[in-house]
Amino acid sequence: MQLPSEAVAATTRIDVVRITAGPERHGDPMTGPVVGHWEGPAVAEVLAAVRKIPAADITLCGFAPGWGLRAYADPAGPPLYEAAFCYGCDMAWLWGPRVPERLHRQTFASDSPYALFLRMRMRASGPSSCGHGHDAEMINSIPPVVPAGRMRALPQPEFELPGGLLLLRPWAAHDVPALVESCLDPDIRHWNRPALLGPAEAEERIARWHARWQDEEAAIWAVAPATGGPAVGLIGIGDLDLAGGSGEILYWLLPAGRGRGAMVAATERVSRWAFEDLGLHRIRITHSVANPASCAIATKAGFPLEGTMRGALLHADGWHDEHLHARLRTDAPV
C-alpha cells in the first residue's frame, strides 16, 4: 500500500480505532472507540508492514472495515491521516490533510502476511467481535525474526569475492550504461524479464534500490571489477519479510562476468551476510526448470532443491514450471 511519505515520517503515535459505522462521506472521522495506541518502535514496525501490503482485486462486500488507524505527529493536535481497512472486500480508505487524492482509495491483499500481521496487531489492541481473542497471545509469543529498523541501521557493505578480481558493492551512477545493457541482453531478458530502460530510467532504478535498503524492502549489490569500472552483474535479496525472517535471492550476469563462478561465490557471500548480520532464518531461490545454469548456481551455493512449482511464472514463450531452492540459517556451512 502507498502511504503519504511526509506524514509517515512525522508520525509519532498511532491510535487503533474499532470502527462501529462507516463515515457518511469520505473525509469524515471514523466512528468508534479508540481501543489502543502505538508509540516508538511499534509505529515504525506497523507502518513498514502497511507499506509492504500488496494490491489486490476488489470483492464488493459493502463498507464494514471493522478496524482503522489514526496517526498523529502530536497526540494533542489533529490527526495527520486516518486509514480504514475492509478485510471483506480488500479495500482501504485513507484521508486527512496530508493525504493526496490519488491515495484516498486503494486495494490491499487481505490474506498477505503483512495484512494479516496488521490485523492481528489491531485486534491485540482491544476487544474484537470477530471471535479471535487468542490473537493478542499469538502476537506476544511470536516476535519479529528481524526487528524493524535493524537493516536501515546497517551500512550496505562491500564484499571482495574469492580470487580478488570481483567485488560486491552498492550500485552507483557510473553503472547506468551496464544496467541499460542488461535489459538488452537476450539471456537476461529471457530469464529475468526486465523492462527496457533508458539512461534516465536506469538512474532512477539505481536510486530506488538505495531507497529500498532504507525502507528495508530489498538489498541489491552490483557485481563489479575489484580494480574499478562499471558493474558486470547484479545480486540481491528481494521480497524481504523481516518479521517472518525470509527473502529471495535474485541475480544476473552480463557476458563480461560469466564463466568465472562469480555468481556462486556472490550467492554464498550475500547469504552469509543475510543470516549472520541481518538475521534472516530462510532464503529461497526460484528459477525456471528450463534454466539449468541457475539450478547449478543454487545447488553449488548450498541451496538444495525443495520442489517444483507448476506453471509459476509467465515468460515470453509461455508459462514455466519453477524450481524452488532454499537454505536455512541452521543448515551446515557449504
Side-chain angles (χ1 to χ4, degrees):
M1 281 184 59
Q2 297 184 63
L3 296 174
S5 298
E6 291 184 4
V8 166
T11 301
T12 62
R13 175 187 172 111
I14 294 176
D15 286 349
V16 181
V17 179
R18 185 70 174 104
I19 300 174
T20 56
E24 293 293 328
R25 58 186 178 180
H26 189 278
D28 286 350
M30 287 181 283
T31 301
V34 174
V35 297
H37 70 271
W38 300 313
E39 294 178 319
V43 169
E45 183 180 31
V46 169
L47 291 179
V50 173
R51 296 173 85 167
K52 292 182 179 181
I53 299 174
D57 295 328
I58 302 174
T59 304
L60 294 179
C61 73
F63 189 97
W67 293 100
L69 305 179
R70 186 175 289 142
Y72 297 87
D74 178 357
L80 294 170
Y81 55 94
E82 298 185 62
F85 298 87
C86 179
Y87 281 78
C89 64
D90 287 7
M91 285 298 303
W93 290 260
L94 280 74
W95 62 92
R98 302 284 193 94
V99 182
E101 185 175 355
R102 61 184 177 82
L103 302 184
H104 282 175
R105 189 168 181 258
Q106 302 181 48
T107 64
F108 72 103
S110 61
D111 59 351
S112 66
Y114 287 105
L116 295 175
F117 170 79
L118 174 64
R119 183 166 63 176
M120 287 192 293
R121 288 299 301 263
M122 290 188 293
R123 285 175 172 168
S125 297
S128 169
S129 61
C130 300
H132 294 284
H134 63 279
D135 287 336
E137 289 77 13
M138 184 181 298
I139 289 293
N140 292 332
S141 65
I142 308 179
V145 177
V146 179
R150 175 182 291 177
M151 180 173 165
R152 72 171 61 94
L154 298 172
Q156 186 171 2
E158 293 189 3
F159 304 116
E160 185 175 293
L161 298 183
L165 298 178
L166 293 171
L167 58 78
L168 308 182
R169 58 163 173 77
W171 282 75
H174 68 272
D175 295 316
V176 164
L179 185 54
V180 172
E181 181 186 354
S182 73
C183 301
L184 301 172
D185 181 84
D187 287 335
I188 295 175
R189 283 192 60 77
H190 184 63
W191 301 120
N192 295 273
R193 311 177 305 160
L196 293 175
L197 300 176
E201 291 87 358
E203 187 174 352
E204 182 180 345
R205 179 70 57 85
I206 291 171
R208 193 183 315 156
W209 285 336
H210 287 275
R212 293 185 75 191
W213 177 283
Q214 292 300 316
D215 292 338
E216 301 188 311
E217 295 176 347
I220 309 295
W221 283 267
V223 183
T227 54
V232 297
L234 173 148
I235 187 166
I237 303 180
D239 197 21
L240 271 174
D241 177 4
L242 296 186
S246 69
E248 181 169 354
I249 294 278
L250 52 137
Y251 49 66
W252 52 256
L253 281 172
L254 288 165
R258 296 172 189 165
R260 292 181 277 179
M263 199 48 72
V264 173
T267 301
E268 291 175 345
R269 188 64 190 87
V270 168
S271 301
R272 191 160 74 251
W273 170 84
F275 288 138
E276 296 177 0
D277 297 324
L278 185 58
L280 295 184
H281 169 70
R282 173 182 168 88
I283 306 173
R284 64 189 179 275
I285 296 174
T286 62
H287 64 83
S288 168
V289 298
N291 187 355
S294 272
C295 198
I297 289 170
T299 303
K300 291 178 181 178
F303 287 72
L305 178 64
E306 292 190 339
T308 300
M309 302 181 290
R310 298 179 300 144
L313 196 62
L314 181 61
H315 287 261
D317 56 354
W319 288 98
H320 283 221
D321 293 350
E322 283 200 303
H323 278 166
L324 170 63
H325 301 255
R327 182 170 179 77
L328 303 181
R329 181 170 51 189
T330 52
D331 287 344
V334 179

